Amino acid sequence: MADDKTNVMRVLDQKKIPYTPHTYDVSDGALDGVTAATRLAVAPETCFKTLVTVGASKRNHVFVVPVEKELDLRAAAKAVGEKSIEMIKQAQLLPLTGYIHGGCSPVGMKKRLPTVIDASAQALAQMTVSAGKIGRQVTLSPVDLAELVRAEFAAIAK
């Protein structure tokens, strides 16, 4: 079973952060977060996607927002002190983070990037994020996640 662990799970184990692992079927190619939440039987507002951006300063930033919402680019830019931000190109994701599109997690990226979690997570006891592979998720405390990745909370979703 240890071979089934993702890098994210190994990091959480190493830091002794409690989590619940989940696996769901992606054989039909449905990779969106709302589908993941449905297949895991978790409320969409507790399931979060990880988005990587680049600011006007050319610095990268990570934003974690509920799967049923979009990143508010203005609010996100303000939260990280940028004039503006935009999503990075998909081809840049793997070299920058070590993750592919649909399997990006705020935990265990190649390089620690400034991270902001949507403020809605603060009201939750548990939140679900990618475990670093398509079809794999982990549920953990938003506080534990924020401490681990040194994230701040801000209203960044619309």
Side-chain angles (χ1 to χ4, degrees):
M1 189 72 173
D3 292 332
D4 285 349
K5 290 206 175 199
T6 66
N7 234 16
V8 170
M9 294 173 194
R10 287 193 270 294
V11 168
L12 295 172
D13 287 343
Q14 179 187 27
K15 300 293 183 183
K16 298 187 180 356
I17 295 173
Y19 67 93
T20 303
H22 306 282
T23 304
Y24 61 97
D25 181 29
V26 293
S27 61
D28 62 358
L31 304 178
D32 66 282
V34 175
T35 299
T38 301
R39 291 182 179 172
L40 294 172
V42 299
E45 63 271 13
T46 68
C47 193
F48 287 68
K49 57 188 170 187
T50 303
L51 305 171
V52 184
T53 65
V54 61
S57 68
K58 304 295 182 211
R59 290 189 310 252
N60 293 105
H61 306 277
V62 175
F63 297 95
V64 182
V65 298
V67 296
E68 62 187 356
K69 303 235 174 164
E70 292 179 30
L71 179 63
D72 181 332
L73 295 175
R74 279 200 178 120
K78 185 177 178 185
V80 295
E82 290 277 4
K83 278 186 178 180
S84 64
I85 60 166
E86 61 185 43
M87 300 302 296
I88 65 167
K89 293 184 181 8
Q90 193 168 324
Q92 297 172 310
L93 188 63
L94 181 60
L96 179 65
T97 66
Y99 294 121
I100 61 170
H101 180 74
C104 189
S105 178
V107 177
M109 288 190 177
K110 281 183 173 183
K111 181 179 174 188
R112 184 181 301 271
L113 299 172
T115 302
V116 179
I117 301 170
D118 186 63
S120 65
Q122 289 179 291
L124 303 174
Q126 299 281 296
M127 66 187 291
T128 301
V129 297
S130 174
K133 289 189 177 174
I134 294 172
R136 306 293 300 272
Q137 301 272 316
V138 291
T139 300
L140 72 166
S141 155
V143 172
D144 286 345
L145 176 61
E147 287 177 4
L148 176 64
V149 300
R150 298 185 192 145
E152 296 180 8
F153 290 97
I156 54 168
K158 61 178 180 176

